[in-house]
């Protein structure tokens, strides 16, 4: 049975210095009109150039080896950069997935030629990655994946579909999980292999999926006789489940897993004014205390990653609890705002912002694994199933 550990980790002084540096950078970007921190949808047209400026500051791939363009800085320093970017609603989507998990996966499992070609370009903020895991009819159950990679001369032919693939329509590459052999009775995890897919290759098509918020960040990705070269195989043939499990520790534990609707809390504080009723003060205090707890858990996982551990179960807990919190936040903010009498009528700005967060809240469970799958991972890690 696994012993859960969320060791108390304090951010060292160098992290506080970095935080001030990031805040100054973001303030300058806001002043230049790159994005509006009160509008989560702003910055989409400037994301690529913003990515290059972040790369120039050394804040992409900052934990990676210097031989591939990284800075060999700590996971705790990377945590600070991520936290400041997310709270500010900075347009990070062009580089974030590559920085968080695709790059580390390539560092561990890709050929040297691929590392030297791809990793420096990620560090410079030039290329965008997506993750191909979920499939129709199997969702977050990765071991039920059926999109097939068949051996051909000098490579593999891929046919099938991935779904809920974030930002695939803007991506240059995907690291995808594909079926290369049938699973066995003894091991249903057998038979999956990871490949690096050029999203501009013939036979790859993206169909954006509309959401209530008007966003189209999710995609259905269809592979029709897509040829993958041999050197784009990532890691062990038929053994990618080990890699995928490790990769998800990076994906599920960061502050992005509980800060997506943070703006609802910020807008609430502004909307209730300087002298809200005691019940509202207590409600906001409770929300802040819960947020602080999530943050401490997430920082602890960052500390484990820095120590070379693979906190898969702890990361799943952060994602599960964080999802529940950020999904409920807009509803709780609405209820607290209703307790404040607005003499001048409704707060239009708050109502508009809250409407957006209410619409995006349902989709956060899809990102990084559904609640049901996460709780299965946690139960298995604790020896309960």
């Amino acid at each position: 049975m696994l012993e859960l550990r969320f060791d108390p980790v304090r951010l060292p002084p160098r992290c506080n210095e970095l935080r001030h540096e990031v805040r100054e950078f973001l303030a300058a970007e806001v002043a230049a009109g790159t994005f509006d921190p009160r509008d989560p949808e702003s910055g989409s047209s400037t994301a690529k150039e913003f990515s290059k400026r972040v790369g120039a500051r050394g804040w992409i791939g900052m934990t990676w080896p210097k031989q591939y363009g990284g800075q060999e800085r700590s996971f705790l320093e990377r945590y600070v950069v991520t936290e400041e970017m997310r709270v500010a609603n900075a347009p990070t989507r062009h580089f974030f997935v590559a920085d968080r998990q695709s790059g580390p996966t390539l560092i561990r499992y890709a050929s040297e030629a691929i590392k030297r070609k791809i990793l420096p370009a990620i560090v410079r903020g030039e290329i965008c990655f997506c993750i191909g895991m979920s499939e129709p009819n199997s969702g977050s159950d990765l071991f039920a994946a059926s999109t097939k990679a068949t051996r051909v001369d000098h490579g593999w032919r891929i046919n099938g579909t991935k779904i809920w693939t974030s930002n695939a329509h803007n991506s240059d590459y995907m690291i995808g999980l594909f079926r290369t052999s049938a699973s066995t009775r003894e091991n249903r995890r057998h038979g999956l292999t990871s490949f690096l897919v050029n999203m501009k290759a013939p036979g790859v098509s993206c169909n954006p999926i509309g959401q209530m918020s008007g966003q189209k960040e999710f995609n259905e990705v269809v592979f029709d006789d897509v040829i993958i070269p041999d050197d784009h195989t990532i890691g062990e043939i038929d053994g990618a489940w080990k890699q995928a499990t490790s990769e998800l520790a990076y994906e599920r534990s960061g502050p992005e897993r509980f800060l997506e609707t943070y703006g609802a809390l910020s807008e609430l504080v502004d909307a209730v004014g300087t002298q809200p009723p005691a019940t509202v003060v207590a409600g906001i205090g409770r929300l802040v205390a819960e947020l602080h707890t999530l943050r401490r858990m997430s920082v602890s996982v960052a500390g484990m990653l820095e120590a070379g551990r693979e906190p898969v179960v702890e990361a799943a807990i952060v994602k599960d609890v964080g999802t529940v919190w950020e999904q409920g936040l807009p509803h709780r903010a609405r209820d607290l705002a209703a307790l404040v009498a607005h003499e001048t009528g409704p707060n239009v700005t708050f109502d508009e912002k809250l409407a957006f967060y209410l619409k995006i809240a349902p989709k956060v469970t899809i990102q990084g694994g559904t609640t049901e799958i996460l709780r299965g991972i946690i139960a298995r890690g604790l020896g309960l199933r």
Side-chain angles (χ1 to χ4, degrees), residues 78 124 203 239:
R78 183 189 177 276
R124 293 192 298 268

Side-chain angles (χ1 to χ4, degrees), residues 7 29 50 76 110-111 117 142 171 177 189-191 219 230 259 268 282 284 296 299 303 328 332 350 364 367 373:
D7 298 331
E29 291 290 326
F50 177 77
L76 296 177
S111 68
K117 175 185 176 183
L142 303 184
S171 294
L177 194 66
R189 301 174 176 183
H190 174 79
N219 291 267
D230 263 333
L259 289 177
L268 171 66
I284 292 175
R296 298 308 307 162
V299 169
R332 295 168 70 182
F350 174 73
V364 297
Q367 303 166 170
I373 292 295

Side-chain angles (χ1 to χ4, degrees), residues 148 179-185 187-192 238:
K148 195 169 184 180
R179 175 69 58 188
T180 45
S181 297
S183 60
T184 65
R185 183 184 299 273
N187 184 7
R188 68 186 292 260
R189 301 174 176 183
H190 174 79
L192 296 172
D238 292 339

